[in-house]
Amino acid sequence: MDPIPETPPHGTIDLARVMVIVEGTNDIEFLSRISLTLHAHDPDLPNLAEMEQQGQLVFVPFGGSNLPSWTYRFASLGKPEFFLLDHEVPPETGQRQELAEVINQRPQCRAVLTSKRSLENYLHPAAIREVTPIELAFG
């Protein structure tokens, strides 16, 4: 498997078609690797790691906290923005939903709240068993 580049090339924000704002570096790693795998099986699906390497998109980790300060952070760049926000426990989930609605009113911006608290929670237990002897059971 090809390594995922740690940082995008110099000047990437100027060239990027979209900014993908996620909670942290683990989300970037997960999305890059899962899209690489899915793209290998279906070339019509985007390879996010390749798109980042080519400067077509920029991943931005906001750290999972202080979301209000990120709502308009990149507005002056005039780039489309996609926010992927993890579902949390109340009252934080409600606050994130309200901010997603604000973001979704901005031109060329989209924010979605996942239904789970972490992207890794979308992995099927059989996929995890394939790479590790750990037996998992989910409710």
Side-chain angles (χ1 to χ4, degrees):
M1 180 177 284
D2 293 331
I4 305 294
E6 297 252 346
T7 58
H10 178 69
T12 299
I13 290 179
D14 292 338
L15 302 173
R17 291 188 298 192
V18 65
M19 302 189 65
V20 179
I21 296 100
V22 296
E23 294 199 28
T25 57
N26 287 340
D27 293 331
I28 295 169
E29 184 74 16
F30 179 82
L31 291 169
S32 295
R33 292 195 183 278
I34 197 79
S35 72
L36 182 67
T37 302
L38 294 171
H39 178 78
H41 290 284
D42 183 352
D44 289 335
L45 295 173
N47 178 341
L48 300 178
E50 184 177 297
M51 290 175 70
E52 182 181 32
Q53 189 174 25
Q54 294 173 352
Q56 296 175 357
L57 72 79
V58 174
F59 280 113
V60 178
F62 72 88
S65 62
N66 202 13
L67 181 58
S69 70
W70 291 90
T71 306
Y72 292 95
R73 172 85 54 202
F74 301 109
S76 65
L77 297 176
K79 300 287 182 186
E81 300 172 30
F82 177 76
F83 288 74
L84 184 59
L85 309 170
D86 290 340
H87 194 275
E88 295 293 340
V89 294
E92 190 172 354
T93 298
Q95 295 164 349
R96 286 176 175 224
Q97 186 60 50
E98 288 174 14
L99 287 169
E101 291 169 12
V102 169
I103 293 166
N104 287 333
Q105 292 176 14
R106 294 179 46 220
Q108 301 186 75
C109 294
R110 180 79 174 117
V112 296
L113 218 61
T114 64
S115 61
K116 298 184 184 226
R117 291 193 63 202
S118 171
L119 287 179
E120 294 83 357
N121 288 338
Y122 288 95
L123 291 173
H124 193 278
I128 296 169
R129 271 194 308 273
E130 192 169 309
V131 295
T132 183
I134 298 172
E135 186 66 35
L136 299 173
F138 295 98

